[in-house]
């Protein structure tokens, strides 16, 4: 196995272990904790925590600290997936190759499991479990809160919801995805960078630019694989966006132009990343985003 792939395998194990530890806590409601663990453990690519760790390398951040930050961000991601799959939203039966949360626990518990994950992330980041100076914690928490709410993921999801069945321009589609998918991915990268002592404002601007472009690339590839891969490979229902009459890069640009757009954006990202020292892991993950099949 190539050494970067080995790095990913070992790091995935560390993330899984940390998530398991963080989700082993007293609960007055075992069913709620079980529902949370069902959607958070043993599944998914963990691309957000991997990015947190890779970005931490650029600023000399501590690995354990980055694993805790990344795992907390993964909880937010899992909350968004649980809510996204609910009958009132995307109404999906399959996620990460298994029945969606509400199919097992019912709509109400699924909704509440998502809510609990949202706050658990901030509980961890603001606690002594995260060994960082208070000012750094506050910066990361503020960044993440912005990325999730009105100005980020939830705002993007709302635009998506309200525009279903309507024709969007490419600019409107891009704006929506920068919020819905891009904001959390961007935050996962910036949070890792902010956790390191070697913070440099100019470098931060560059990392921010790279992070935004990676968020966009992730979504373009998502739209492409939605039509090119099957349900078994994706672990979720294939061709869903098309069936739900959603605006996607493929619907607006056509498959081959969408593929060319992804190709050009990937090259641009790699070029920017290679200008940064200690960026080997970041490059590896950007490649993973581009070449992924699920
Ligand atoms: C309702 C308060 C409230 C909040 C929820 C539902 C929602 C707001 C936001 C949804 C955001 C969302 C689901 C965006 C899609 C992002 C996306 C492409 C998910 C797939 O991510 P991967 O490929 O999945 O990283 P894995 O399973 O690998 O983790």
């Amino acid at each position: 196995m190539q050494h970067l792939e080995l790095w990913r395998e070992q790091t995935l194990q560390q993330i899984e272990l940390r998530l398991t530890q963080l989700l082993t806590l007293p609960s007055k409601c075992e069913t709620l904790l079980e529902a949370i663990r069902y959607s958070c453990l043993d599944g998914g690519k963990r691309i957000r925590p991997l990015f947190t760790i890779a970005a931490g390398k650029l600023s000399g951040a501590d690995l354990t600290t980055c694993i805790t930050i990344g795992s907390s961000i993964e909880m937010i991601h899992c909350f968004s997936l649980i809510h996204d799959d609910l009958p009132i939203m995307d109404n999906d039966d399959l996620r990460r190759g298994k029945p969606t949360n509400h199919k097992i626990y019912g709509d109400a518990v699924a909704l509440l499991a998502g809510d609990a994950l949202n706050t658990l992330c901030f509980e961890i980041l603001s606690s002594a479990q995260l060994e960082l100076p208070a000012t750094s914690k506050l910066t990361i928490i503020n960044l993440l809160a912005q990325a999730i709410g009105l100005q980020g993921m939830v705002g993007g999801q709302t635009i998506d919801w309200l525009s279903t069945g309507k024709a969007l321009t490419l600019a409107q589609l891009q704006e929506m995805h920068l919020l819905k998918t891009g904001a959390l991915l961007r935050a996962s990268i910036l949070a890792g960078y902010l956790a390191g002592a070697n913070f440099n404002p100019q470098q931060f601007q560059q990392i921010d630019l790279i992070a935004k472009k990676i968020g966009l690339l992730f979504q373009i590839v998502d739209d492409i694989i939605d039509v090119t891969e099957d349900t078994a490979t994706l672990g979720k229902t294939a061709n869903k966006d098309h069936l739900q009459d959603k605006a996607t890069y493929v619907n607006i640009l056509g498959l081959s132009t969408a593929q060319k757009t992804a190709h050009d954006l990937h090259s641009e990202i790699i070029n920017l990343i290679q200008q940064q020292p200690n960026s080997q892991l970041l490059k590896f993950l950007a490649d993973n985003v581009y070449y992924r099949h699920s």
Side-chain angles (χ1 to χ4, degrees), residues 220 224 227 248-261:
I220 301 174
I224 293 170
V227 298
T248 70
Y249 286 91
V250 174
N251 287 345
I252 291 182
L253 296 174
L255 181 59
S256 62
T257 308
Q259 284 170 327
K260 166 93 171 60
T261 307

Side-chain angles (χ1 to χ4, degrees), residues 182-288:
L184 190 64
L185 257 165
R186 169 179 173 250
S188 67
I189 295 173
L190 295 183
Y193 183 74
L194 286 165
N198 307 331
F199 175 84
N200 168 321
Q202 270 144 18
Q203 190 181 27
F204 183 79
Q205 295 299 325
Q206 280 304 105
I207 305 301
D208 193 12
L209 183 67
I210 293 167
K212 280 187 190 140
K213 287 181 187 289
I214 289 176
L216 208 52
L217 177 65
F218 187 92
Q219 187 60 50
I220 301 174
V221 173
D222 219 64
D223 288 353
I224 293 170
I225 60 179
D226 183 64
V227 298
T228 57
E229 303 292 340
D230 58 20
T231 297
T233 310
L234 291 173
K236 60 181 180 182
T237 316
N239 215 9
K240 190 83 204 276
D241 296 333
H242 180 70
L243 293 176
Q244 289 192 329
D245 201 15
K246 292 225 166 145
T248 70
Y249 286 91
V250 174
N251 287 345
I252 291 182
L253 296 174
L255 181 59
S256 62
T257 308
Q259 284 170 327
K260 166 93 171 60
T261 307
H263 172 273
D264 294 349
L265 185 56
H266 172 246
S267 305
E268 208 185 313
I269 290 166
I270 296 303
N271 184 30
L272 287 168
I273 289 178
Q274 282 176 333
Q275 294 168 31
Q276 301 299 322
N278 303 316
S279 60
Q280 197 190 21
L281 296 179
L282 198 58
K283 176 186 175 297
F284 174 65
L285 294 179
D287 285 342
N288 279 202

Side-chain angles (χ1 to χ4, degrees), residues 109-146:
V109 172
L111 184 78
L112 294 164
D115 291 341
L117 279 166
N118 189 12
T119 52
L120 187 56
C121 164
F122 291 104
E123 187 181 328
I124 294 162
L125 293 179
S126 58
S127 76
Q129 293 188 70
L130 185 68
E131 293 187 25
L132 272 183
T135 49
S136 303
K137 282 190 191 182
L138 203 54
T139 309
I140 291 170
I141 289 168
N142 182 261
L143 172 94
L144 201 53
Q146 283 188 41

Side-chain angles (χ1 to χ4, degrees), residues 12 16 19 40-50 74:
L12 284 174
E16 201 61 37
L19 268 172
C40 277
L41 302 178
D42 277 339
K45 297 179 291 295
R46 311 295 196 207
I47 195 72
R48 293 155 193 81
L50 287 169
E74 181 71 14

Side-chain angles (χ1 to χ4, degrees), residues 44-45 48 77 79-80 83-84 96 154 157 180 218 222:
K45 297 179 291 295
R48 293 155 193 81
H77 172 57
F79 129 65
S80 82
H83 281 195
D84 195 45
R96 294 176 166 175
V154 176
Q157 175 79 353
K180 186 182 130 180
F218 187 92
D222 219 64

